Amino acid sequence: RAAALAAKLSARDGAELPASDALRMATVEGARALGVGAAVGALDVGMQADFVMLRLDRAALLLPRPAPGADSGRGAPGTGAGHFGWWSSAANGGPRGAGPGAPADEDALRSDRLARAVLWGATPQSVEMVVVAGKVVVRGGRVLTMDESEVIADAQSVADLLDTQQRHVAQADA
């Protein structure tokens, strides 16, 4: 999310680094950059089964739907795009080559909308399940592999220690 936002701001162009590209960078390309692309980064035969399942029924991940009777809604005048025409063109981060009036590719449109919803709308509350190496580690938003309250308490202890050390350093410098 931060990389996509930085790219958009730097280029002063909302179409820069579309959501699907940012998600690919975080998964397939991220695994490749870390040298583990043969094992993780994608769901494929022979690869480690690492994935996150998100709840698409959360308000932050709602996807726009065409109005009843509307066609694919690519945003061209008279297409019935109406209220959801904001995703219609490449200039708005739509699928590459999808300008106004372009032929509809429903799967590409659905995929593009989902990528944008995940990148810009997903929150920790959106996570239903996390699977790492084929093992469920989060289900129903609850961590299964460790005592979450114990981890939080340990983290708080470390934070308190760092705060105390910072105050001592600041006093010594004063």
Side-chain angles (χ1 to χ4, degrees), residues 31-154:
R32 187 173 299 143
L34 293 171
V36 294
V40 299
L43 284 177
D44 206 351
V45 174
M47 297 184 83
Q48 197 168 294
D50 296 348
F51 60 92
V52 176
M53 289 178 59
L54 300 174
R55 293 192 54 138
L56 297 180
D57 61 346
R58 300 289 191 226
L61 293 175
L62 291 179
L63 301 173
R65 289 189 276 189
D71 64 8
S72 65
R74 296 303 296 246
T79 63
H83 64 281
F84 62 93
W86 55 268
W87 52 266
S88 64
S89 71
N92 288 329
R96 288 196 175 87
D105 178 343
E106 292 301 322
D107 289 338
L109 291 172
R110 202 172 4 265
S111 177
D112 179 64
R113 290 193 310 259
L114 180 59
R116 279 188 280 132
V118 168
L119 182 67
W120 300 112
T123 66
Q125 293 75 28
S126 306
V127 176
E128 177 63 26
M129 184 183 301
V130 177
V131 177
V132 177
K135 180 181 178 188
V136 176
V137 297
V138 174
R139 179 178 282 131
R142 311 262 327 143
V143 177
L144 304 176
T145 57
M146 61 186 76
D147 183 347
E148 197 171 355
S149 59
E150 184 179 320
V151 171
I152 291 170
D154 289 348

Side-chain angles (χ1 to χ4, degrees), residues 2-16:
L5 185 57
K8 291 174 187 310
L9 291 172
S10 176
R12 297 183 190 274
D13 181 358
E16 190 70 24

